[in-house]
Amino acid sequence: MQISLNTFFPKNISKSIYFNGTKQINHKKNTAKTPADCFTKSNNTDFTLEKFLNKKDRFTISEFRAIDKGNLIFLRDDLTKEYGDYDEYAYAAGATMELAFDLKSALDEKYGENGYVFTAIGQSPSLIAKVFECMGVETKYLPISNLGEKGVDIDILFEEKTIENYGKILKRQNLTKEALENSDKKVIFYDYTSSGATLAILEYFMQKAYKLPYSKIEFRSLNEDLQSCAYNSDNAENYIKTFLEDRWSSKFTSIDHLPHKKIADTAMDDRNLTRHRFCEPKLFNFLIMDELNKMGLLKENPANRNSL
């Protein structure tokens, strides 16, 4: 699907500077802001940016659709005029959606439009995954990090407490042996790769510890697939460099950082697994929903209700 970049950016923002490689992006330290840092009070008392940003849990498509047209305009106005880093969010949403559309077209052709489950490993693929989720694709999120680090001890993954604890994430999102055996879909696990070690280790972990059927799962490199399917190769290279290699995705993602060594001792709840309470992912997710809604592409899939 080809789209115009005019879709994503307010009129006062130059679109070309974000995609031709001439602009240096300000890679700030990823210090999550509290709601009080992110807004100035709106005059609209029905649905303000303040109320939106004070929300602690996941912002859903149903909640987005429940905002009446007038309040949606007020919320957009607050975001555009009062949030200082709005251009960064517009860039992140636009760049992510452009490549997600290209990747979705390729996957739809390969597996069928409703023939696969998009599963994001860690933070890197989670922005692309959010677009898939908001377009109605069954989407899962697996917080796990540092599997590709040098000298990783994979025996930690196979400790009884680790297997039991991480299994709660899989069960919550219906990624179990029984569920996959009874499904016609292929579960595609995506991660950013440099050596391929993370994918190899996680595939071994999923099959050995949880008996996920080999015929129903596939592990793929996000950066390699983006490079191969992108309509604009320069945009793909810029996105991979900025959001994957330089980890700018960590600023906007709803998924928290979960080192594999800490799985056994981490409570598997939203407080530890997600970043929904922070304003950065809320604003990014709102922009994704808002733009897809304008295009008539926003769709809620009941299979995603228990996703992270």
Side-chain angles (χ1 to χ4, degrees):
M1 177 187 301
Q2 296 311 312
I3 51 177
S4 169
L5 297 183
N6 291 307
T7 303
F8 302 119
F9 298 96
K11 294 179 180 179
N12 63 333
I13 296 178
S14 170
K15 293 167 283 297
S16 63
I17 61 174
Y18 294 106
F19 288 88
N20 62 13
T22 60
K23 179 178 174 64
Q24 293 296 317
I25 298 169
N26 180 20
H27 296 276
K28 300 177 182 178
K29 184 178 180 181
N30 181 32
T31 303
K33 299 178 183 178
T34 62
D37 298 324
C38 300
F39 65 83
T40 54
K41 191 172 180 61
S42 169
N43 292 326
N44 175 32
T45 58
D46 293 324
F47 196 95
T48 64
L49 184 60
E50 178 177 359
K51 291 179 181 179
F52 170 68
L53 292 173
N54 276 325
K55 180 177 170 58
K56 301 297 184 184
D57 55 356
R58 180 184 177 200
F59 180 61
T60 67
I61 294 174
S62 294
E63 289 172 316
F64 174 87
R65 285 181 167 155
I67 305 172
D68 64 53
K69 185 175 180 180
N71 285 332
L72 188 58
I73 292 172
F74 273 108
L75 183 54
R76 286 187 194 133
D77 188 62
D78 278 346
L79 289 174
T80 304
K81 294 182 179 179
E82 300 191 27
Y83 192 68
D85 294 333
Y86 182 80
D87 57 338
E88 291 187 356
Y89 290 87
Y91 162 67
T96 301
M97 288 177 69
E98 179 186 4
L99 292 176
F101 286 169
D102 290 342
L103 181 58
K104 185 176 183 300
S105 293
L107 295 178
D108 286 353
E109 182 176 353
K110 181 176 176 64
Y111 301 101
E113 189 171 352
N114 194 37
Y116 61 93
V117 178
F118 191 104
T119 305
I121 303 170
Q123 294 182 327
S124 297
S126 62
L127 303 188
I128 296 282
K130 179 56 67 172
V131 180
F132 275 71
E133 178 190 341
C134 291
M135 292 181 73
V137 176
E138 187 173 351
T139 307
K140 315 297 182 187
Y141 301 89
L142 295 182
I144 192 165
S145 308
N146 306 127
L147 284 177
E149 65 185 8
K150 185 177 292 186
V152 62
D153 181 7
I154 66 171
D155 289 340
I156 294 174
L157 293 174
F158 294 96
E159 293 176 356
E160 183 177 350
K161 190 175 180 181
T162 298
I163 292 175
E164 179 183 355
N165 219 18
Y166 203 74
K168 296 174 184 177
I169 300 177
L170 301 180
K171 186 175 181 179
R172 167 179 171 171
Q173 298 183 97
N174 215 26
L175 286 173
T176 64
K177 175 179 180 290
E178 294 74 22
L180 269 59
E181 286 177 340
N182 292 318
S183 173
D184 295 329
K185 296 182 180 181
K186 175 81 77 171
V187 180
I188 307 171
F189 294 81
Y190 267 114
D191 195 12
Y192 165 69
T193 61
S194 55
S195 67
T198 297
L199 287 180
I201 292 171
L202 192 66
E203 181 174 9
Y204 182 68
F205 181 46
M206 290 293 109
Q207 289 184 281
K208 190 76 172 178
Y210 304 106
K211 312 300 182 185
L212 298 190
Y214 178 79
S215 63
K216 296 295 183 72
I217 59 177
E218 187 170 342
F219 289 76
R220 301 186 64 88
S221 165
L222 180 64
N223 40 303
E224 290 180 6
D225 279 6
L226 290 180
Q227 287 172 325
S228 66
C229 74
Y231 179 77
N232 187 312
S233 59
D234 289 339
N235 290 356
E237 289 180 11
N238 289 339
Y239 187 89
I240 291 167
K241 176 66 170 66
T242 302
F243 288 90
L244 304 184
E245 291 180 11
D246 294 345
R247 295 190 53 77
W248 215 40
S249 58
S250 64
K251 175 175 181 176
F252 304 102
T253 181
S254 300
I255 304 304
D256 215 341
H257 180 74
L258 178 62
H260 70 283
K261 294 179 180 179
K262 296 184 178 181
I263 290 174
D265 299 318
T266 299
M268 295 294 138
D269 54 31
D270 283 0
R271 180 78 185 180
N272 290 303
L273 301 177
T274 71
R275 302 178 66 249
H276 295 304
R277 62 194 178 278
F278 298 123
C279 65
E280 288 88 353
K282 288 178 188 174
L283 294 173
F284 176 84
N285 294 345
F286 172 83
L287 282 176
I288 295 296
M289 293 180 193
D290 196 29
E291 296 303 336
L292 288 176
N293 189 53
K294 292 175 188 176
M295 301 168 72
L297 297 175
L298 185 64
K299 182 179 179 181
E300 189 165 26
N301 187 335
N304 293 331
R305 287 175 183 164
N306 291 323
S307 295
L308 296 181

